[in-house]
Amino acid sequence: AGKKSLTPEQQRSYVLYLRARATFEKDAQTYWSAVDERREGRRRKRSMGQPFTKDDYVLEHPPKYPGPSLPPDVAKYVHY
């Protein structure tokens, strides 16, 4: 089977998707790093018999990917 190239419009959609995903992944990494740091802090407190406070937790929910989604006509040609 021949290899199909993305049309210019599909390429634009793909680039927009990649940029949005990269921004989201950076935000998600920041969030999960904070969760890991707080968890480690609670472990230390637990080992010393200290009580936890609300500051020992990340109180926000994790970020959700706001889009755009990868169009199906592009997804079938892009492999991760």
Side-chain angles (χ1 to χ4, degrees):
K3 187 174 183 181
K4 182 182 183 294
S5 296
L6 297 176
T7 66
E9 182 58 36
Q10 288 172 324
Q11 289 175 4
R12 280 189 290 279
S13 295
Y14 185 49
V15 168
L16 289 174
Y17 168 79
L18 290 176
R19 287 179 183 160
R21 257 335 265 202
T23 299
F24 166 75
E25 293 296 337
K26 187 180 95 179
D27 293 344
Q29 180 60 41
T30 299
Y31 173 84
W32 290 111
S33 291
V35 168
D36 289 341
E37 288 172 18
R38 303 280 174 92
R39 184 179 299 130
E40 187 55 38
R42 290 192 307 273
R43 285 184 184 131
R44 284 191 300 273
K45 280 187 164 185
R46 185 180 301 117
S47 71
M48 294 184 292
Q50 296 177 349
F52 301 155
T53 67
K54 73 175 186 164
D55 293 333
D56 295 316
Y57 297 89
V58 174
L59 302 178
E60 301 85 31
H61 289 284
K64 291 188 179 191
Y65 178 65
S69 60
L70 185 60
D73 63 328
V74 175
K76 65 183 176 183
Y77 296 106
V78 179
H79 303 286
Y80 291 95

